[in-house]
Amino acid sequence: MKPAFVIVSLLISAVGVCRGPVAASPASDTPPNIVIILADDMGFSDLGCYGGEIETPHLDSLAHHGLRFTQFYNTARCWPTRSSLLSGYYAQQIHRDALPGVRGGAGGVRQSWAKLLPDYLSPAGYRSYHSGKWHIDGKVLNAGFDRSLDVRNQGNYFTSNGNLIDDVPVKAPADEEGYYTTVATADHAIDCLQDHAANHADKPFFHYVAFIAPHFPLHVLPEDITKYRDSYLDGWGEMRKSRFARQKKLGITATTLAPIEPDLGPPYAFPDAMEKLGPDEVNRPLPWNELSESQQRFQATKMAIHAAMIDRMDHEIGRIIDQLKVMNAFDNTLILFASDNGASAEIMVRNGGHDPNAAPGSAATYLCLGPGFSSACNTPHRRHKTWVHEGGVSTPMIAHWPRGISSANELRHTPAHVIDVLPTVLEIAGIETPKRPDGAEIPNLPGKSLLPAFAVDQTIPRESLWWMHDGHRAVRVGDWKLVGSKGEPWELYDLTSDRAEQNNLASKMPEKVQELERVWQQQTDSFIELAQQTLDDQPKRRRGTARPSKN
């Protein structure tokens, strides 16, 4: 197979940081570098280029000079998305999310053939780096990465305690004043890039940068919250209206705006957390005018911290971009940016607990966004992280590659999914899917290369997209989506005009429901059959859930 970077090149031819900048000039015929940046719990509309009011100039610039996908999907949860992104398989195929009667989930172990992207890229000469969250089974370096910062500490942004460097635990210094995980993640990424420029400039690189932000706890540098402190006092309803208006103007959506579901709270109830957080916390997205002034301030402050965390993440992405430019790698680097799931309605208190007297966003606090502003962050879609309605599984996706994408500031409307990233990268790098060590074929990758959509706005042909998480399930065939929450009957939506999932056609079109249900069940059964082949390799303490209802 002729490397796609050669084909694309033929078509389009008709900051000082850390130790200081290190430059290198790659040869014009080198394969492209790959940088995948993943946010954690960020909503569909949080970026400026997707309708948000948060200042994200660096990501907006990538979008302005690249592409924005309007119907890109994740798996609705952190660890399944990461496994799917780097393996190219649905997480359930490789024991990384639960199936009926099959052990798996967050503690599941991939089959020996379920390699991650670095193992595909290494034979082609790539070096691979990881900075940030892992949340995939096994050690990072064993997955083919040459260097890694594994941010295991996800409960306190202000200490490195519990993290790993190259799979070795970090010894946190006694005084970590000024430490912040988002900055540290970028520092590590930049250090890897500088080392690459100095010592491996003749090789292409893959860098997986997985920020924790803006995942709870809502922790923020004090100087970052200032610009947003009073920005959200008008409430989540007004925020949604403003974002939706901007989205319509940008052409991001053609749907209606999903109304807030006032009776839908967090996916998991933690009554003790509500007691610790005090009377200003609310676990339902009530009308803003029904909240007390104190409650409004508390909720608006949480959203301000969420916004500041994204603002800071964008700033750190800007530093990484600066390093790519200094080492003359920017033009030949494909940068992909997405979020692992929709914004979260969760409310809980973990780790060190919550001190209600401490400054909001400080290390002594443990705040979560909650269902009100989560609904606003997922504008215009319905529901949140863990659900497989559009609000849970929709993500912004930016693709930027000056040498390989000639279009700029354009939208791509094809439905796509994180399972498509690996086959896209393999085609760009000209890499064939390898066989098992015994010579047998590995299971077919379910995703599709998005390379044709990089050239023009077109729909990538596929049979279906499939979801299952926490008892929630869905399938998309063309523009039809069948979706059901745990224990609830199927709902049917025509996504050509109703991505807000408001006009349930299930009762009017029972034959279409049955047709899509068969597709979902056939896919589920095939995944179960595949996973059962290696069931004995799974940790015995993990068990699957009961088979979801078919109704």
Side-chain angles (χ1 to χ4, degrees), residues 232-347:
Y232 300 102
L233 289 172
D234 289 339
W236 39 69
E238 290 303 313
M239 174 178 156
R240 294 175 78 245
K241 291 177 185 177
S242 298
R243 288 192 174 190
F244 184 59
R246 287 191 291 270
Q247 288 177 325
K248 298 288 278 189
K249 186 175 180 179
L250 290 168
I252 294 294
T253 186
T255 188
T256 56
L257 176 62
I260 286 179
E261 298 176 85
D263 297 326
L264 186 72
Y268 318 108
F270 293 98
D272 59 327
M274 295 297 294
E275 183 176 348
K276 293 174 183 176
L277 292 165
D280 288 337
E281 185 59 280
V282 293
N283 64 357
R284 293 295 184 272
L286 302 173
W288 192 250
N289 60 8
E290 292 184 11
L291 304 184
S292 69
E293 185 175 345
S294 179
Q295 287 175 324
Q296 290 178 352
R297 168 56 75 176
F298 183 80
Q299 299 299 319
T301 297
K302 292 198 301 176
M303 181 60 213
I305 298 171
H306 176 89
M309 293 171 77
I310 293 172
D311 185 308
R312 169 55 59 178
M313 178 180 65
D314 180 84
H315 178 82
E316 300 308 313
I317 290 170
R319 293 175 55 219
I320 296 171
I321 290 171
D322 286 344
Q323 176 58 33
L324 291 172
K325 291 178 177 178
V326 164
M327 57 197 282
N328 294 327
F330 183 69
D331 285 351
N332 197 32
T333 297
L334 170 64
I335 300 176
L336 300 177
F337 173 89
S339 178
D340 64 350
N341 44 248
S344 175
E346 294 162 291
I347 296 177

Side-chain angles (χ1 to χ4, degrees), residues 114-126:
K115 303 298 185 182
L116 303 186
L117 190 50
D119 275 336
Y120 291 94
L121 294 173
S122 179
Y126 280 78

Side-chain angles (χ1 to χ4, degrees), residues 67-80:
L67 305 174
R68 280 167 293 165
F69 284 72
T70 64
Q71 298 191 77
F72 200 86
Y73 290 111
N74 49 49
T75 72
R77 198 68 175 273
C78 44
W79 70 86

Side-chain angles (χ1 to χ4, degrees), residues 89-156:
Y89 291 98
Y90 285 106
Q92 290 80 0
Q93 293 180 278
I94 56 174
H95 297 291
R96 292 299 298 153
D97 205 359
L99 280 165
V102 178
R103 288 188 296 274
V109 177
R110 288 172 289 122
Q111 299 92 330
S112 61
W113 49 259
K115 303 298 185 182
L116 303 186
L117 190 50
D119 275 336
Y120 291 94
L121 294 173
S122 179
Y126 280 78
R127 284 180 60 83
S128 295
Y129 309 108
H130 159 254
S131 306
K133 187 171 180 176
W134 182 236
H135 218 169
I136 303 175
D137 60 304
K139 295 183 177 180
V140 183
L141 298 193
N142 288 349
F145 287 91
D146 294 287
R147 293 183 59 184
S148 166
L149 164 64
D150 183 354
V151 180
R152 295 284 184 89
N153 187 340
Q154 298 168 36
N156 186 346

